[in-house]
Amino acid sequence: MAAAISALNAKIRSQPVLNYVFSTHFWGPVSNFGIPIAAVMDTKKDPDIISGKMTAALTLYSGTFMRYSMAVTPKNYLLFACHFVNFGAQLTQGYRYVQYWHYGGKEASAQGLLNSTKKEAAALSADGKELLSSAKDKVTK
């Protein structure tokens, strides 16, 4: 049994593509891609929930590991791509955080919500008046 496993391993390792797919140079970045995917998906969420400290930590982490992926031998381009995407997403989140908390984004968001609520209330009031008028006409007939 051990000889069969050893022979299978030797066959896999003799083919460059399979050797790469069965290595940590492939599966490490693939499993790590969950972080940048989540970061990209978070760019659609409300900036109120962004953690400035976590965003800064993830930006530094991705920047460090982008450099590391090019420093190892052989160069790990898949790991570089993973951290490049995460670095960009974290910079976007950092911009959204600073814009929301420090440059008036929170107030603008609240003002926009207030304006849209006023418009909805006016529309509901007009609809209510129309229904009341229609009901009054039906009663008087």
Side-chain angles (χ1 to χ4, degrees):
M1 182 66 166
I5 292 173
S6 181
L8 179 63
N9 188 33
K11 178 131 176 90
I12 289 170
R13 299 296 175 189
S14 68
Q15 297 176 2
V17 172
L18 288 179
N19 187 35
Y20 178 70
V21 168
F22 285 98
S23 73
T24 57
H25 273 265
F26 177 76
W27 287 108
V30 166
S31 62
N32 199 29
F33 254 106
I35 295 171
I37 290 169
V40 169
M41 297 302 288
D42 283 349
T43 59
K44 297 182 184 336
K45 293 183 180 175
D46 188 17
D48 184 36
I49 64 171
I50 299 172
S51 167
K53 291 179 181 178
M54 189 60 165
T55 299
L58 284 170
T59 303
L60 290 172
Y61 159 78
S62 288
T64 301
F65 278 91
M66 274 195 310
R67 170 67 182 105
Y68 169 77
S69 69
M70 293 292 106
V72 297
T73 304
K75 292 182 182 337
N76 194 336
Y77 295 108
L78 191 56
L79 185 63
F80 180 83
C82 173
H83 287 294
F84 180 79
V85 170
N86 192 35
F87 189 77
Q90 296 304 330
L91 284 178
T92 301
Q93 290 292 77
Y95 171 78
R96 292 178 67 225
Y97 175 82
V98 169
Q99 180 67 29
Y100 185 78
W101 290 104
H102 300 291
Y103 289 110
K106 186 176 183 180
E107 291 78 17
S109 176
Q111 187 63 39
L113 182 61
L114 180 64
N115 290 340
S116 67
T117 304
K118 283 181 181 178
K119 288 178 185 175
E120 287 177 21
L124 286 174
S125 175
D127 288 345
K129 287 178 184 177
E130 185 179 312
L131 286 172
L132 185 60
S133 172
S134 166
K136 190 187 284 185
D137 289 344
K138 287 181 182 178
V139 169
T140 56
K141 285 185 181 179

